[in-house]
């Protein structure tokens, strides 16, 4: 699947991991410090993928000019470049201010997973410089674009992951029912002081 010219990689893994959390597998609790574990979050991907990108052309524009909306879901960080690869999954809350064309929020309640091994993680990732629609001079992009800058640190004993990047994607549905965004190719995070490859995916719905 693509969002705004970016292939959404690793997102299926995020929701598969959430489904595993419901079973309580691994060496940590299935609750994951606040992750919803009734299986409902594992359906976010399929729900949003089934929706078209939110239209914005003449006669069918669904991108509001005013008002706000809140989207909740998952941030998944697939740290594939680690010597022992793992994933971080946390819950997200994102507020869209359509009049200001901004997105703000955070991700928290992270879990670290290696296979079926699960451990709670601490830390918060803040969404900043989030933008809706076209950006730059001259303007580029589409009115249904979403851009989420993110910065934060997530830790477990022996593991420190520092994130500073941007996820780009699209609003989905008519009317808007959610958003999907991901980091660009070649993205890295800092793992215990060393830059390693990692894919970041954000999926949220209202």
């Amino acid at each position: 699947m693509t969002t705004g010219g970016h292939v959404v990689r690793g997102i299926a893994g995020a929701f598969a991991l959430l489904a595993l959390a419901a079973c309580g597998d691994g060496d940590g609790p299935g609750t994951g410090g606040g992750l919803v574990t009734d299986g409902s979050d594992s359906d976010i991907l399929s729900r949003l993928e089934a929706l078209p990108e939110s239209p914005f052309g003449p006669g069918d524009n669904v991108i509001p000019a005013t008002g706000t909306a809140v989207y909740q879901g998952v941030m998944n960080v697939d740290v594939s470049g680690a010597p022992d690869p793992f994933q971080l999954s946390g819950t997200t809350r994102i507020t869209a201010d359509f009049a200001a064309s901004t997105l703000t929020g955070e991700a928290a309640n992270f879990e670290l997973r290696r296979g079926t091994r699960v451990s709670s993680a601490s830390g918060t990732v803040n969404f900043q410089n989030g933008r809706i629609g076209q950006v730059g001079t001259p303007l580029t992009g589409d009115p249904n674009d979403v851009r989420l800058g993110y910065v934060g640190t997530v830790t477990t004993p022996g593991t420190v992951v520092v994130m500073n990047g941007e996820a780009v994607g699209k609003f989905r549905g008519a009317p808007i029912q959610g958003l999907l965004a991901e980091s660009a190719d070649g993205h890295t995070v800092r793992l215990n002081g060393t830059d390693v490859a990692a894919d970041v995916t954000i999926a949220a719905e209202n």
Side-chain angles (χ1 to χ4, degrees), residues 23 35 47 70 198:
C23 300
L35 286 175
R47 287 196 294 266
V70 174

Side-chain angles (χ1 to χ4, degrees), residues 85-181:
F86 62 90
Q87 289 183 315
L88 292 169
S89 292
T91 57
T92 63
R93 180 180 174 89
I94 300 166
T95 299
D97 185 328
F98 292 100
S101 298
T102 59
L103 296 164
T104 57
E106 67 177 26
N109 304 318
F110 280 93
E111 285 184 339
L112 186 150
R113 295 176 173 274
R114 286 186 173 96
T116 59
R117 292 175 293 160
V118 184
S119 57
S120 296
S122 61
T124 300
V125 176
N126 293 308
F127 299 135
Q128 58 185 25
N129 301 319
R131 298 294 301 172
I132 298 170
Q134 297 173 306
V135 297
T137 304
L139 290 173
T140 59
D142 296 318
N144 63 356
D145 286 349
V146 295
R147 296 175 179 271
L148 281 165
Y150 50 85
V151 59
T153 301
V154 177
T155 64
T156 65
T159 302
V160 179
V161 180
V162 179
M163 290 173 260
N164 189 349
E166 183 183 57
V168 179
K170 297 282 187 179
F171 282 118
R172 308 288 292 201
I176 296 172
Q177 297 182 45
L179 60 87
L180 288 174

